[in-house]
Amino acid sequence: MLLSDRALRPSREFHINRLHTIEMVAEVVIKALREQQPAAAALTAAILVLVFSYMAWFWSLRRRLSGPTVWPLFGSLPGLVLNRARMHDWIAGNLRATGGVATYQTCILPIPLLARRQGLVTVTAHPRNLEHVLRTRFDNYPKGPQMQAAFHDLLGGGIFNSDGEAWLLQRKTAALEFTTRTLRQAMARWTNRAILRLCSILSAAAAGDGRRAVDLQDLLLRLTFDNICGLTFGKDPETLSPAIPHNPFTAAFDAATEATLQRLLFPGFLWRLKKALRLGGELRLRRSLEVVDRHMEAAVAERKETPSDDLISRFMKKRASDENLQRIALNFLLAGRDTSSVALSWFFWTVMRRPDVERKIVGEITAVLRATRGPDRAAWLAGSLEFDELDRLVYLKAALAETLRLYPSVPQDTKYVISDDVLPDGTVVPAGSSVTYSIYSMGRLETIWGKDCEEFRPERWLSAEGDRFEPTKDPYQFVAFNAGPRTCLGKDLAYLQMRSIAAAVLLRHRLEPVPGHRVQQKMSLTLFMKHGLLVYVRPRNLDDVDGHLVDSPAKKVTTAIATAAAA
């Protein structure tokens, strides 16, 4: 729901109510002085003067804010708490209500001396502001003490929760590995192993009467977890198997990330108090982290005994402590497991609702395989697609990019302001305040993507001829993989992995949503589906697509391949 003008700026009624409040305060003070003893009257008068002074200050503060309703003492926290189940859509509505500004300021701590710094939050989806924060003045906008404190128990000083030299060292080490061909080959090897298990599970679900539902999000999470464990530790835990075994580590990790996110809904002193008293979410976080830490300790200890060519072994060469190795590995697990699986879950959900898009994707896959492996369909299903085959799936990549535009795996991020600054759109951000950029909202702004911004349209990512993937000319309009110095190192690997999994599944199976199943966002660090993604699985009839390619990206890809072969 969009905010009304009243929520964005003080109205005439607001000012009239303020005058009535002043009159009431004055009447109460006069009455107290007349009826009470001098000491009691003086105390009452002092309290009322403080209340009046606070309200006068609060009204002055509120006039300068442009976001959702801000309340005395509680700021905009009531709105945030009430909308916590739909927080990203709530923020997107607030930003759309600003028109083309795509920036607003709110206060979560309306207390004198704190409100304009620790309590002030600037929320933006303006591309120029993002460029300013993520690149131009990168050093002025680190993670900051509040975010680092909130995430420290979970991520420690890992790459996603560090700044300065600590971050730079990890970044340089990781960058060296992510640019090597061996890592790309290792990713393909681990992914292909897991894909075989996934397709086996899906085929079993499709057998019989075909009424056996599977939670596709859970299967994808298990697949990407096995992959990233292979890359990080050189060991496949095989959590993706027909028995669907319970994994205490992943369950505890999910609970820990959710509890950590809850810390961001409240001022720091509140969650610290709950942590000290071991209450609610903080108690759950503590128990979950005990499970996570035991798992990571064992994994690092095992790898130290038998070093290999995996990521954690390479960080060992930098002589990192055991605790740092555990947090570094945990950061990689968070990035490698959650982001790709979440993106694929939203991709499959969207494709199930868009049969026209599904036909184009499967048509493109079969066209590429016909050109590279010949007409024998058994050869198409003999194994996963090779690198060169995956690179030709431009429409599939466009559909994945379009999924990330509307459902970014990491929907928002927050930066700390070190020194006073002015954003390109004129917004003043004082030192000590924070800037939150909403990646989720960016994909839903008409000023960036046009009137069809909420429509799923992969064609917006293709060249005019439809045979080439074209990223946005402005890299700060699409920051699903972040931007600037913190751009995701695994971006190309993520696209490779997602295309490989999506192609293997859609080539063999047709998915249908379970009637009545509710797909809802889960408020976590990544954009999980709260109730999973329940689907029915059907065998794919390739006669429906192969040989019936109309004017589509698949036909254009086939033509391009034939032309290249002839040349």
Side-chain angles (χ1 to χ4, degrees):
M1 182 187 302
L2 300 184
L3 293 180
S4 65
D5 288 340
R6 183 181 180 187
L8 294 172
R9 56 179 179 273
S11 64
R12 180 174 179 273
E13 181 182 351
F14 174 82
H15 291 295
I16 293 174
N17 290 338
R18 181 178 66 171
L19 293 175
H20 287 331
T21 303
I22 295 172
E23 291 174 358
M24 290 172 61
V25 171
E27 290 176 2
V28 172
V29 172
I30 293 172
K31 185 177 180 180
L33 292 173
R34 287 176 177 174
E35 297 179 0
Q36 297 185 10
Q37 297 296 322
L43 178 60
T44 301
I47 293 174
L48 291 172
V49 167
L50 286 174
V51 171
F52 172 76
S53 299
Y54 173 80
M55 293 305 297
W57 171 86
F58 173 78
W59 282 318
S60 176
L61 169 71
R62 182 170 171 174
R63 280 199 304 270
R64 297 195 294 269
L65 301 175
S66 56
T69 302
V70 177
W71 302 93
L73 300 180
F74 299 103
S76 57
L77 288 176
L80 186 62
V81 172
L82 288 174
N83 289 280
R84 64 188 180 277
R86 53 178 298 274
M87 179 170 59
H88 305 305
D89 284 310
W90 180 67
I91 290 174
N94 293 337
L95 287 167
R96 283 196 298 264
T98 68
V101 178
T103 302
Y104 68 83
Q105 287 188 317
T106 187
C107 183
I108 60 172
L109 201 62
I111 298 174
L113 304 179
L114 298 178
R116 297 297 296 173
R117 292 185 179 273
Q118 290 92 327
L120 184 68
V121 179
T122 302
V123 182
T124 187
H126 195 295
R128 297 287 66 76
N129 288 348
L130 266 67
E131 181 179 16
H132 184 84
V133 169
L134 299 177
R135 184 182 68 85
T136 307
R137 294 214 62 197
F138 172 76
D139 292 334
N140 194 50
Y141 296 93
K143 290 285 185 180
Q146 288 91 350
M147 287 287 290
Q148 287 179 324
F151 285 92
H152 184 268
D153 290 338
L154 175 64
L155 300 179
I159 192 170
F160 296 111
N161 198 42
S162 57
D163 292 314
E165 290 299 322
W167 166 78
L168 189 60
L169 175 62
Q170 294 182 61
R171 175 81 181 188
K172 287 180 177 179
T173 303
L176 290 173
E177 306 308 326
F178 276 86
T179 55
T180 62
R181 181 173 177 80
T182 55
L183 186 63
R184 179 180 165 105
Q185 293 171 335
M187 168 64 81
R189 183 172 66 253
W190 291 110
T191 299
N192 291 342
R193 290 176 57 178
I195 284 175
L196 291 175
R197 300 203 298 267
L198 174 64
C199 290
S200 175
I201 292 172
L202 294 179
S203 295
D209 61 3
R211 304 309 294 175
R212 175 189 162 195
V214 297
D215 183 350
L216 188 58
Q217 177 178 253
D218 179 59
L219 296 178
L220 292 169
L221 280 166
R222 291 169 180 270
L223 186 155
T224 53
F225 177 70
D226 290 350
N227 283 356
I228 195 61
C229 282
L231 277 177
T232 305
F233 297 112
K235 181 178 180 181
D236 183 352
E238 297 190 9
T239 63
L240 178 67
S241 63
I244 312 296
H246 173 70
N247 187 285
F249 169 76
T250 56
F253 190 45
D254 289 342
T257 56
E258 186 173 359
T260 298
L261 182 66
Q262 294 297 315
R263 288 179 169 182
L264 302 182
L265 299 179
F266 305 99
F269 72 90
L270 284 180
W271 68 257
R272 285 184 174 89
L273 178 62
K274 290 175 66 178
K275 178 182 178 181
L277 298 176
R278 299 186 180 183
L279 298 175
E282 289 298 319
L283 178 59
R284 290 192 296 273
L285 176 61
R286 182 185 180 91
R287 290 173 175 171
S288 298
L289 287 176
E290 289 174 355
V291 177
V292 170
D293 289 343
R294 284 198 299 270
H295 178 92
M296 298 306 296
E297 287 173 6
V300 170
E302 180 179 347
R303 184 45 71 222
K304 288 187 72 174
E305 290 181 4
T306 55
S308 184
D309 197 35
D310 48 70
L311 286 173
I312 202 65
S313 296
R314 299 187 184 211
F315 272 95
M316 285 179 188
K317 297 176 182 178
K318 303 297 180 182
R319 299 183 179 179
S321 66
D322 285 0
E323 182 178 355
N324 284 340
L325 284 172
Q326 292 171 29
R327 294 306 172 191
I328 289 169
L330 198 62
N331 277 248
F332 280 118
L333 291 183
L334 173 66
R337 185 194 78 138
D338 292 359
T339 52
S340 294
S341 58
V342 166
L344 282 168
S345 296
W346 289 107
F347 165 79
F348 284 119
W349 178 71
T350 303
V351 166
M352 285 189 292
R353 296 158 65 234
R354 289 289 302 274
D356 58 321
V357 172
E358 182 179 15
R359 281 193 298 270
K360 291 178 181 179
I361 292 173
V362 179
E364 179 182 61
I365 296 170
T366 58
V368 168
L369 290 174
R370 180 175 291 277
T372 58
R373 303 186 185 186
D376 183 7
R377 293 179 184 176
W380 301 357
L381 304 175
S384 299
L385 274 68
E386 303 294 337
F387 289 149
D388 64 321
E389 294 170 329
L390 292 172
D391 287 340
R392 293 170 179 175
L393 299 179
V394 294
Y395 188 81
L396 175 55
K397 184 175 181 179
L400 289 166
E402 184 72 345
T403 300
L404 288 167
R405 182 183 72 85
L406 290 170
Y407 304 101
S409 298
V410 180
Q412 67 181 50
D413 199 3
T414 298
K415 302 294 185 182
Y416 178 78
V417 184
I418 291 181
S419 60
D420 295 349
D421 198 10
V422 180
L423 299 180
D425 67 359
T427 304
V428 176
V429 286
S433 67
S434 62
V435 175
T436 293
Y437 58 98
S438 175
I439 307 169
Y440 182 88
S441 300
M442 292 189 75
R444 289 164 168 75
L445 289 181
E446 186 176 319
T447 52
I448 297 177
W449 297 100
K451 293 186 180 298
D452 64 348
C453 60
E454 297 198 64
E455 177 187 346
F456 185 85
R457 192 170 65 82
E459 286 75 13
R460 75 176 80 241
W461 296 91
L462 298 176
S463 61
E465 296 76 21
D467 61 349
R468 188 175 66 257
F469 179 86
E470 288 191 347
T472 56
K473 292 182 174 60
D474 181 354
Y476 295 91
Q477 290 182 345
F478 178 71
V479 292
F481 292 96
N482 218 324
R486 281 189 180 263
T487 297
C488 176
L489 290 168
K491 176 180 177 179
D492 293 335
L493 285 179
Y495 270 126
L496 175 70
Q497 181 187 49
M498 289 190 293
R499 276 190 283 183
S500 183
I501 296 169
V505 171
L506 293 178
L507 183 65
R508 293 166 175 81
H509 309 288
R510 182 170 53 83
L511 306 176
E512 296 178 1
V514 172
H517 175 63
R518 184 183 179 190
V519 172
Q520 181 183 357
Q521 297 173 16
K522 180 180 180 179
M523 292 303 107
S524 184
L525 300 179
T526 45
L527 203 64
F528 287 114
M529 293 177 176
K530 186 174 183 179
H531 308 293
L533 180 59
L534 297 183
V535 302
Y536 291 130
V537 185
R538 305 280 184 263
R540 170 72 64 191
N541 183 0
L542 292 177
D543 289 332
D544 293 340
V545 287
D546 183 43
H548 299 282
L549 302 179
V550 294
D551 188 16
S552 67
K555 182 178 180 181
K556 294 172 182 176
V557 169
T558 306
T559 303
I561 294 174
T563 302

